[in-house]
């Protein structure tokens, strides 16, 4: 029923996984996703391991919208891991999946991310622009660039975004 797949175990068939998942009471599923995600990030190399990183953030992203399930430290950690998972997805040419990770990372940022988590926020927004551009999501490119340019703290940060806007308009 279950097979070892690298550092994790996986069900031998999707129907087995679905049937087992349906046995878990609905109100216990999101806390279980959090527990799994948090346990996966105990590996210090999680951000460098594409499979482990995406597995961990997929678990957290499935429960991140639940009120107060993540504390601020966990939210920051998983925002960074979503950035790493998005970069791994770009390397695999999976731009839509990468955009999903960047958007999830943005949603996990602090209430005032440009003040509290500037570098992480800037990188998530820039990567969101890049994959949206590559995937033809014009509305996302324009709105994200506007946000970056209105919050850029340095000339270098603004220049990079202006260069992306020039490519977008060309």
């Amino acid at each position: 029923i279950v097979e070892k797949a690298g550092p994790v175990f996986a069900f031998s068939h999707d129907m087995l996984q679905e049937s087992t998942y349906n046995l878990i009471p609905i109100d216990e599923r999101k806390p279980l996703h959090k527990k799994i995600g948090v346990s996966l990030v105990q590996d210090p190399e999680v951000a460098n391991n594409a499979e482990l990183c995406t597995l961990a953030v997929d678990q957290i992203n499935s429960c991140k919208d639940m009120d107060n399930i993540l504390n601020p430290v966990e939210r920051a950690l998983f925002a960074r891991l979503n950035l790493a998972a998005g970069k791994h997805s770009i390397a695999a040419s999976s731009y839509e999946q990468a955009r999903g990770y960047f958007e999830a990372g943005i949603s996990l940022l602090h209430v005032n991310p440009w003040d509290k988590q500037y570098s992480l926020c800037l990188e998530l927004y820039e990567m969101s622009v890049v994959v949206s551009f590559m995937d033809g999501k014009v509305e996302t490119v324009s709105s994200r660039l506007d946000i970056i340019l209105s919050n850029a703290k340095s000339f270098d940060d603004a220049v990079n975004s202006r260069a992306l806007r020039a490519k977008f308009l060309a």
Side-chain angles (χ1 to χ4, degrees), residues 22-39:
N22 288 334
L23 292 172
I24 301 168
I26 293 172
D27 60 330
E28 293 178 20
R29 290 179 187 172
K30 290 190 180 204
L32 180 61
H33 283 293
K34 178 189 177 188
K35 186 176 181 179
I36 293 168
V38 169
S39 69

Side-chain angles (χ1 to χ4, degrees), residues 3 6 10 15 18 25 32 40 46 52-53 66-67 88 100 112 115:
E3 301 171 343
M15 294 300 288
E18 186 177 329
L32 180 61
L40 289 171
V46 67
L52 193 57
C53 183
M66 188 173 173
D67 288 339
H88 291 305
N112 300 314
D115 294 330

Side-chain angles (χ1 to χ4, degrees), residues 1-2 11 13-25 29 32:
I1 293 177
V2 179
F11 285 93
H13 195 279
D14 290 344
M15 294 300 288
L16 289 170
Q17 178 182 358
E18 186 177 329
S19 296
T20 303
Y21 187 73
N22 288 334
L23 292 172
I24 301 168
R29 290 179 187 172
L32 180 61

Side-chain angles (χ1 to χ4, degrees), residues 6-124:
V8 295
F9 288 89
F11 285 93
S12 59
H13 195 279
D14 290 344
M15 294 300 288
L16 289 170
Q17 178 182 358
E18 186 177 329
S19 296
T20 303
Y21 187 73
N22 288 334
L23 292 172
I24 301 168
I26 293 172
D27 60 330
E28 293 178 20
R29 290 179 187 172
K30 290 190 180 204
L32 180 61
H33 283 293
K34 178 189 177 188
K35 186 176 181 179
I36 293 168
V38 169
S39 69
L40 289 171
V41 299
Q42 300 307 311
D43 183 337
E45 290 296 313
V46 67
N48 298 323
N49 181 325
E51 184 180 356
L52 193 57
C53 183
T54 55
L55 185 59
V57 296
D58 286 344
Q59 291 295 316
I60 292 299
N61 290 347
S62 68
C63 70
K64 69 178 173 50
D65 297 327
M66 188 173 173
D67 288 339
N68 301 320
I69 196 157
L70 298 173
N71 65 45
V73 173
E74 291 169 331
R75 292 179 71 83
L77 169 65
F78 284 103
R80 282 191 300 277
L81 289 174
N82 268 289
L83 176 63
K87 289 178 179 180
H88 291 305
S89 294
I90 288 173
S93 300
S94 182
Y95 305 119
E96 186 174 341
Q97 183 180 32
R99 189 176 57 257
Y101 289 129
F102 297 137
E103 296 302 319
I106 289 168
S107 75
L108 289 167
L109 291 171
H110 190 274
V111 176
N112 300 314
W114 293 99
D115 294 330
K116 305 280 185 189
Q117 298 168 296
Y118 180 79
S119 296
L120 176 60
C121 186
L122 179 65
E123 192 167 4
L124 280 165

